[in-house]
Amino acid sequence: MKNISIFLFVFALCMIGNVHGGKLFQGAKTTLVFMNGLGYKKWLKVHCQSGNNDMGVHYLKPGGIYLFSFHDNLMGNTLFWCVLSKGHDYKISSTFDAYVQDISKPHAGTYNYIASDDGIYHNNRVNFILHKKFDWNRRY
């Protein structure tokens, strides 16, 4: 009888997951957006990763945009860190946590990062004001 109860419980979870498109156990969707706001003819290199995913290296032309989306995990420990690089041979860089899941704060959904000649600026849907968050040649 105990085995049947366990089977029915697992079966019910699978069916609920199918009804909800298999997204029952996924957290909120998050999008990270990176924009090249550097000066004339300056390219930006973006490389982001988490403990489970490497999003690859992307080169953004002036005014270019790169974005990706993911779901928070239910454990509450989703983390993406990124390296943005500029300059000759991309030797000027900044490494920072672009997204750290915090279940005690409102989820902003979209996090925007704009690389400028003097640093990296940030805003999101909770805090609309664009502000300088990171300097070049620093690790945060």
Side-chain angles (χ1 to χ4, degrees):
M1 186 67 169
K2 184 177 179 182
N3 289 340
I4 290 176
S5 297
I6 293 171
F7 170 77
L8 290 174
F9 177 73
V10 171
F11 181 74
L13 286 176
C14 291
M15 295 308 294
I16 291 170
N18 285 336
V19 169
H20 290 280
K23 298 187 184 342
L24 178 66
F25 298 110
Q26 291 180 339
K29 188 171 186 178
T30 303
T31 301
L32 298 182
V33 180
F34 300 89
M35 180 179 171
N36 182 353
L38 298 172
Y40 182 70
K41 290 190 177 182
K42 295 180 181 176
W43 284 65
L44 177 70
K45 178 179 167 184
V46 179
H47 185 197
C48 296
Q49 51 192 332
S50 72
N52 299 325
N53 299 294
D54 185 337
M55 306 311 289
V57 175
H58 300 270
Y59 294 91
L60 305 184
K61 64 183 179 181
I65 295 175
Y66 165 63
L67 61 91
F68 64 94
S69 298
F70 55 91
H71 288 278
D72 288 349
N73 67 44
L74 289 179
M75 302 303 289
N77 61 358
T78 303
L79 167 66
F80 271 92
W81 66 91
C82 298
V83 180
L84 273 56
S85 306
K86 68 174 189 162
H88 182 67
D89 292 334
Y90 301 99
K91 291 183 180 177
I92 301 169
S93 66
S94 184
T95 302
F96 57 92
D97 292 342
Y99 178 76
V100 180
Q101 184 178 356
D102 185 349
I103 57 175
S104 68
K105 293 182 181 177
H107 185 267
T110 302
Y111 296 79
N112 302 299
Y113 294 93
I114 301 172
S116 182
D117 288 318
D118 68 334
I120 299 165
Y121 290 77
H122 170 70
N123 75 351
N124 58 45
R125 281 198 263 170
V126 173
N127 180 9
F128 290 107
I129 300 168
L130 191 65
H131 66 279
K132 186 175 178 183
K133 182 127 182 175
F134 306 109
D135 289 315
W136 293 108
N137 281 337
R138 299 267 323 256
R139 220 178 163 81
Y140 294 89

